[in-house]
Amino acid sequence: MQKAISELIRNNSSAFYVFDIKALRDRISCLRSSLPKDISLCYAVKANTFISGEIINDVERFEICSPGEYYICRELGIDSKKMVISGVYKTPAVIEEMVADPDFEGIFTAESVRQYQLLCDLSMKYNRRLRVIPRLTNGSQFGMDITDLEAVVRDRKKHENIELIGIQYFSGTQKTSLKKYKRELEALDELLTALNDKYSFIAEELEYGTGFPVSYFRGEELDEESLLKGFSELIEAMSCKPRIVIELGRSIAASCGAYYTHIVDIKHNKGQSYAITDGGMHQLVYYGQYLAMKQPFVSVVGKENAPSVGQWIICGSLCTMNDIIVKQAELPDIEVGDTLCFERTGAYCMTEGISLLLSRELPSVYILAENGEAKQVRGAFETRQLNMPYYERKY
């Protein structure tokens, strides 16, 4: 592995991402060994589209939240039977394209009564039986109010081509409190019991977005073993016994990723040391990193065991004072040309940044296979092609 990384550093003059597939699969195995064995895993594609094709046989489902994600997964060869078509807005034309395709066999979530009616109408138009999971709101813009969800269940027999297979619920991310999981699971258990009592509806499954946390910063490590053990006990204690499908993105993908960026300038202004990199906040996004006040897991490649000799503010290449990645990072003796490695960047980092600001290029993306070989899955991309008015283009 280290040989492949060294070669990538030599061959890349600008920032790049590496996603380690062995680390990814080890993480999925770890989750499976820590959770009840009959639980299914659903990977949220939005966390990292690039690794989706690598785990086709490692998870039971893929949550897809946009037309773009659907087309990506289709091109990667992901079986539609493994797809859950989710999202607060479902583009009607794309949903109709799926329903019209006789080979499409995915599941649809229904975020609203309007979405549900769209699915009902399309099921009649194409005489297709569709599997649907209504989503219960967590009090945000996502999902249905409980009264709307109950009405959908109550009147389900009016739509003979719709098969309601369960309930979907997601309440947030980075949840560390077992008390919150307990409240949610007890409420969901009560809801499933009530739907059975009132409407003779037995949920085949409960798709639950747990929002398992990831420790992104030094000093914020959590006792994940105890958290997952306690969560498993809460699942086992439920009186209703639907199939549990846990939807995860960050918890699966974060640990497999590393972001490499080069130090391109060093300066000392008014007693403060600054290291300027060719990357920046447009390419590196950690959940919960407010004004770069927290310390991510970062090291200088080749100097991992060297002692710290001072504190540095690590800045990116954007012409804004907000482009500060880390404040007062303890670093060894550094010089221009050194490479910084930021760990735990496998989820969202490459998609949540303000990538088009200043028309800087998007970084290359590499997959590190289990045999240690690295393959490029996206080359560096010049964003000026996206920021230039089309009638001005001369290429």
Side-chain angles (χ1 to χ4, degrees):
M1 173 181 175
Q2 193 53 53
K3 180 180 178 181
I5 296 299
S6 297
E7 186 174 342
L8 291 178
I9 291 172
R10 285 195 302 271
N11 294 337
N12 282 272
S13 59
S14 57
F16 60 95
Y17 302 103
V18 176
F19 302 126
D20 185 336
I21 302 308
K22 184 180 185 305
L24 174 62
R25 291 188 175 132
D26 286 348
R27 174 58 182 168
I28 292 173
S29 296
C30 176
L31 286 167
R32 289 200 186 278
S33 66
S34 302
L35 296 167
K37 58 184 178 182
D38 54 347
I39 276 182
S40 298
L41 296 182
C42 175
Y43 175 60
V45 173
K46 60 181 175 288
N48 184 336
T49 56
F50 294 98
I51 62 174
S52 300
E54 305 293 330
I55 54 173
I56 291 176
N57 298 318
D58 298 282
V59 297
E60 284 75 23
R61 286 196 188 151
F62 292 84
E63 187 206 33
I64 294 167
C65 291
S66 73
E69 289 183 355
Y70 167 63
Y71 294 124
I72 288 171
C73 288
R74 193 174 68 178
E75 288 296 315
L76 290 173
I78 294 174
D79 193 325
S80 65
K81 292 178 181 177
K82 287 193 160 195
M83 297 182 183
V84 179
I85 308 303
S86 192
V88 67
Y89 172 61
K90 293 178 174 61
T91 307
V94 178
I95 298 301
E96 182 164 2
E97 176 187 332
M98 294 177 191
V99 176
D101 179 359
D103 294 325
F104 180 82
E105 300 181 77
I107 295 170
F108 296 93
T109 68
E111 291 256 358
S112 66
V113 173
R114 184 181 295 274
Q115 277 192 15
Y116 180 66
Q117 189 59 54
L118 170 66
L119 294 170
C120 291
D121 293 343
L122 291 174
S123 72
M124 294 297 293
K125 179 177 179 178
Y126 292 96
N127 193 26
R128 294 275 324 263
R129 187 163 180 81
L130 304 180
R131 293 185 297 159
V132 177
I133 309 178
R135 179 174 180 173
L136 177 67
T137 187
N138 60 9
S140 67
Q141 73 269 39
F142 299 102
M144 299 182 191
D145 185 76
I146 192 168
T147 55
D148 289 332
L149 188 148
E150 285 204 25
V152 165
V153 171
R154 182 192 64 215
D155 299 333
R156 65 191 184 281
K157 293 182 180 179
K158 295 180 180 179
H159 307 285
E160 59 186 25
N161 283 344
I162 297 293
E163 179 185 0
L164 295 184
I165 63 173
I167 301 297
Q168 185 192 51
Y169 182 78
F170 181 80
S171 69
T173 191
Q174 292 292 87
K175 286 153 48 182
T176 60
S177 170
L178 277 174
K179 290 183 179 179
K180 184 167 186 179
Y181 288 120
K182 185 174 188 292
R183 287 196 302 269
E184 289 181 352
L185 287 170
E186 286 179 348
L188 290 168
D189 202 17
E190 290 176 6
L191 173 61
L192 294 176
T193 299
L195 293 177
N196 186 14
D197 292 343
K198 291 181 182 179
Y199 312 113
S200 300
F201 174 71
I202 299 176
E204 176 184 327
E205 67 179 56
L206 169 64
E207 184 177 309
Y208 180 43
T210 61
F212 286 152
V214 171
S215 296
Y216 282 123
F217 307 108
R218 299 186 188 277
E220 290 188 355
E221 291 83 352
L222 58 94
D223 185 354
E224 185 180 60
E225 182 179 348
S226 296
L227 181 70
L228 295 180
K229 181 177 183 293
F231 176 83
S232 298
E233 291 170 352
L234 293 173
I235 291 289
E236 300 286 4
M238 292 179 65
S239 59
C240 294
K241 300 297 180 183
R243 175 190 184 192
I244 304 294
V245 181
I246 292 183
E247 181 258 302
L248 298 169
R250 192 183 309 277
S251 184
I252 286 177
S255 61
C256 81
Y259 172 72
Y260 294 86
T261 183
H262 309 83
I263 296 176
V264 295
D265 203 355
I266 287 174
K267 59 182 71 174
H268 306 277
N269 291 345
K270 294 188 175 181
Q272 175 63 60
S273 298
Y274 292 88
I276 311 300
T277 69
D278 57 2
M281 68 177 188
H282 56 315
Q283 299 173 356
L284 182 65
V285 180
Y286 285 108
Y287 185 93
Q289 185 167 0
Y290 179 69
L291 297 178
M293 298 301 291
K294 299 178 181 180
Q295 296 287 322
F297 295 87
V298 58
S299 60
V300 183
V301 177
K303 300 179 181 179
E304 292 87 353
N305 299 319
S308 169
V309 297
Q311 293 184 333
W312 294 77
I313 294 180
I314 304 174
C315 302
S317 57
L318 302 184
C319 291
T320 167
M321 288 191 293
N322 294 323
D323 193 8
I324 297 175
I325 306 173
V326 191
K327 289 183 178 179
Q328 309 307 337
E330 296 281 350
L331 297 179
D333 187 25
I334 60 172
E335 56 188 327
V336 171
D338 280 344
T339 302
L340 299 177
C341 173
F342 288 85
E343 301 174 28
R344 309 184 190 188
T345 59
Y348 297 106
C349 283
M350 78 301 303
T351 55
E352 282 193 341
I354 46 177
S355 303
L356 299 185
L357 184 62
L358 290 177
S359 299
R360 293 270 183 189
E361 71 175 15
L362 291 174
S364 296
V365 176
Y366 294 89
I367 292 292
L368 186 64
E370 290 192 90
N371 64 5
E373 294 182 2
K375 61 179 178 179
Q376 188 182 72
V377 293
R378 185 186 75 190
F381 181 83
E382 293 290 351
T383 62
R384 67 173 184 269
Q385 299 176 50
L386 303 177
N387 284 347
M388 185 185 297
Y390 74 91
Y391 50 83
E392 295 290 343
R393 291 179 180 173
K394 295 179 173 57
Y395 50 85

